[in-house]
Amino acid sequence: MLVTQQAVFRKYWHAVMPLSQLSDGPKPFKLLGRDIVLFLDAQGQPAALRDRCCHRTAKLSKGWCVDGAGKACGQGLIQCGYHGWTYDRSGTVVVIPQFDAGRRIPADYRTTAYHCTARYGYAWVALEDPVADIPVVPEFDDPAFRTIFQFHEVWATSPLRALENSFDNSHFSFVHRATFGVPDAPKPSKYEIVERDGGFCAETVIAAANPERFRRISGVNDPVTTRHMRNAYFQPFSRRLDIEYPSGIRHIIINCFTPIDDGHIQLCQWLFRNDTEADCPAQLLIDFDEEITREDKDILESTDPDAVVDLRRRGVEYSMDSDRPGVLIRRQLMALLSAADEAEVHR
């Protein structure tokens, strides 16, 4: 599936950029193949426009923010760095410096504006009117949990590849043999799956290697422990993994696999823990999950990003019993396409 060619994905919210990255001015991003620019408006809220000035097509991300008096600032209106045409968050040109004071600016002098909102410390963007809300993450506002912003980086793969990998417990003994995989237990535990609107929940318990360097993370001193995994899929490209150790520690990961183009995603990852910095430092947790995600990244970037969604296409990829969650993701995405009167677009 070539995600940029499937119009329905433009109707969903995608995590794009940490709000902290917008504090010093506009930033460019490519979402589903479209060049956009993000900035903070005068109220400090994120806004997203097409990254193209309607005057002579310069990228607005080459510009800066200005206040109502035209003075450069960290948030406000966005001014093109070529001729100074200035836009508000609706994409309307509100100032043309070359015009005399009081001269009316034609109403069609504008660029495309996209839906943009702040949630969980990120700017989220929908290219068209959204048909679903951003997934709920109750731990973000729960004082029993601390929030650790882990990853915001580009991977050379597709959202479907990254998504189904996050539900695939048959690769642990191989891809993660240097971290938590148990080499002599290649047969995966079985998921109990419950479908729901817009996704599904999958639950299982796995054995996990627990070397001494990881024991502050698990809160367990045994060389092999268990992970009670409650894994949830949210259409189109998000998941929540709630790992509970026998110690009672919960290690909750939220992933958004944001589609940049047909061969690249942005991995956005939040971590929530019900312990304290004294129990396990945030940097240790970041380093731990980074080591594991690097193993995933290395193997996923070797796969073909054009993953099969329409399972009626035979002979391209083959599956086994433990691929059930990935197959279900594909079926649900195919149903999403069909409901939007779309066929899978592929090479």
Side-chain angles (χ1 to χ4, degrees), residues 16-23 121-123 149 151-152 266 268:
V16 168
M17 188 174 296
L19 295 172
S20 59
Q21 293 203 356
L22 298 176
S23 60
Y122 268 68
F149 295 99
F151 309 120
H152 167 254
Q266 178 172 257
C268 303

Side-chain angles (χ1 to χ4, degrees), residues 1 58 68 77 103 135 143-144 149 179-180 241 278 295 306 329 347:
M1 177 179 64
L77 305 169
R103 180 175 172 182
F149 295 99
T179 50
F180 70 89
L241 173 60
E295 294 170 332
D306 186 13
I329 290 169
R347 284 196 306 272

Side-chain angles (χ1 to χ4, degrees), residues 164-165 167-174 180-192 203-208 227 229 319-325:
E164 69 176 356
N165 176 75
F167 284 86
D168 173 19
N169 59 17
S170 65
H171 75 280
F172 296 162
S173 297
F174 304 96
F180 70 89
V182 180
D184 59 356
K187 290 187 177 180
S189 60
K190 185 179 179 181
Y191 273 116
E192 295 297 326
E203 186 170 355
T204 191
V205 176
I206 69 163
R227 290 179 169 187
M229 298 170 58
S319 298
M320 57 183 173
D321 293 346
S322 60
D323 292 323
R324 183 185 172 205

